[in-house]
Amino acid sequence: MGAQIRVYRQKIASTSSMQKIFKAMELIATSRIGKARARVSASLPYSNAITRAVTAVASQAEVDHPLTTEPEQIRRAAVLVMTSDRGLAGSYSASVLKQAEHLIELLRGEGKDVKTYLVGRKAQAYFDFRGRDYAKVWTGGTDAPEFKTAHELREALLEDFATEFEEGGVEEIHVVYTQFKSMVVQEPTVIRLLPLEVVEEEVESSADLLPLYEYEPEPEQVLDALLPRYIESRIFNAMLQAAASELAARQRAMKAAGDNASDLIKKYTRLRNNARQAEVTQELSEIVAGADALNAS
């Protein structure tokens, strides 16, 4: 019986230590998510401005540009998958990978080859474990993205997009990431990055109309300068949203883990007390039985 009590004490001690770790990670995620959300908000004005500029050029000038022209046949697509470097974030990375698998299956069902680019060690481990090829991987700092990583991603993707199919190039680019909507809702999202789809939305008043521009140099040269920056801003914004989503998911996961640890501690404490009470009862019974035996002799 004493051994059973020691087992419960060890379980209580180990669970309490884990609970402290969960609480510390929850506090770290909570403290960092405010900065992550601020970075998302700070990236929006530039992203919106360059989007309007690209839309103005592409919609008001009939331009035959490689980045905005839909090819007659798409034979190979690139898929950029953004996951996390670390775990302990619930189903965050698993949800992104599930969405990526669905997209890859859909593209292959359309007869397209798929070339995969990965962000995060979780995606790398997922593909390595299954023995699946990928073109390139970027790891480190998924919960605090750096702009130079977005620049490297842009360069790699645009280089493949500019390469001929026969030489291993791609003809469209998709990005799979987690869109941050609120502290409670983060949604795995797929966007087609290239060729750029310019949608001319209906407007209700002349105030919403884009101004008419005269371009100097030519619109093609303007797009040559704007589109790489547009692609870079879209990728960086996706990375920032993914980082905020990762921290929010980790904060929720650590809170749930801490609550579960509290429940386990209560359960083990109750079982330890029951075992101690049973031991005391047994000792009293032995004492009484011994006293009765002495009296009878």
Side-chain angles (χ1 to χ4, degrees):
M1 192 66 70
Q4 190 176 16
I5 293 175
R6 284 195 298 272
V7 169
Y8 288 132
R9 283 175 178 169
Q10 291 172 357
K11 288 184 176 181
I12 291 170
S14 61
T15 306
S16 297
S17 298
M18 292 176 64
Q19 185 184 32
K20 292 177 182 178
I21 295 173
F22 296 149
K23 185 63 176 177
M25 295 189 69
E26 178 190 352
L27 292 174
I28 292 171
T30 302
S31 65
R32 295 182 62 186
I33 195 169
K35 183 178 179 180
R37 294 177 66 182
R39 293 185 72 190
V40 173
S41 299
S43 72
L44 290 177
Y46 175 78
S47 179
N48 292 339
I50 198 168
T51 299
R52 285 180 61 86
V54 170
T55 302
V57 177
S59 61
Q60 295 178 21
E62 296 182 1
V63 180
D64 185 17
H65 195 279
L67 300 186
T68 59
T69 302
E70 190 76 25
E72 295 181 1
Q73 181 184 7
I74 297 176
R75 294 161 291 179
R76 182 180 295 122
V79 176
L80 173 62
V81 185
M82 295 185 181
T83 63
S84 64
D85 283 324
R86 298 184 294 136
L88 300 177
S91 61
Y92 167 75
S93 292
S95 298
V96 177
L97 291 169
K98 182 178 179 181
Q99 188 74 29
E101 288 285 19
H102 178 72
L103 173 63
I104 292 171
E105 183 180 348
L106 179 64
L107 293 172
R108 286 176 175 163
E110 296 173 352
K112 303 173 184 176
D113 292 338
V114 177
K115 193 172 184 178
T116 312
Y117 297 82
L118 308 177
V119 175
R121 293 190 180 94
K122 288 297 178 181
Q124 183 181 19
Y126 179 87
F127 278 75
D128 286 343
F129 180 77
R130 288 159 178 78
R132 295 165 59 178
D133 295 331
Y134 48 86
K136 196 170 181 181
V137 61
W138 288 263
T139 59
T142 57
D143 56 354
E146 296 182 1
F147 190 76
K148 68 177 183 179
T149 306
H151 179 76
E152 293 174 5
L153 284 163
R154 183 202 79 178
E155 291 297 310
L157 292 172
L158 287 182
E159 181 181 354
D160 269 4
F161 192 78
T163 304
E164 294 295 331
F165 170 78
E166 292 76 13
E167 299 176 7
V170 300
E171 293 156 326
E172 71 174 352
I173 300 173
H174 299 267
V175 180
V176 186
Y177 71 103
T178 306
Q179 184 180 12
F180 181 87
K181 293 190 172 182
S182 68
M183 286 294 295
V184 179
V185 180
Q186 298 90 42
E187 183 177 322
T189 305
V190 177
I191 59 172
R192 194 179 83 156
L193 201 59
L194 291 176
L196 179 64
E197 295 178 347
V198 179
V199 180
E200 296 185 14
E201 300 180 353
E202 294 183 2
V203 293
E204 298 180 358
S205 66
S206 59
D208 296 324
L209 291 171
L210 290 171
L212 296 176
Y213 296 102
E214 291 184 1
Y215 301 101
E216 187 175 333
E218 295 300 316
E220 291 84 356
Q221 294 173 278
V222 175
L223 284 178
D224 285 339
L226 283 180
L227 280 171
R229 290 173 173 79
Y230 168 79
I231 300 301
E232 192 172 66
S233 70
R234 290 292 300 273
I235 291 174
F236 189 54
N237 181 262
M239 293 173 64
L240 292 175
Q241 294 211 41
S245 300
E246 178 185 345
L247 291 170
R250 181 166 292 116
Q251 189 266 343
R252 289 200 313 275
M254 291 301 96
K255 186 178 186 309
D259 293 342
N260 290 337
S262 296
D263 294 339
L264 279 175
I265 291 172
K266 291 178 182 178
K267 176 184 176 181
Y268 290 145
T269 301
R270 184 174 65 253
L271 292 173
R272 182 199 62 187
N273 292 340
N274 290 341
R276 181 185 296 165
Q277 186 172 359
E279 184 179 11
V280 171
T281 302
Q282 182 178 354
E283 290 176 355
L284 288 175
S285 298
E286 291 173 354
I287 292 172
V288 171
D292 291 341
L294 289 173
N295 291 333
S297 63

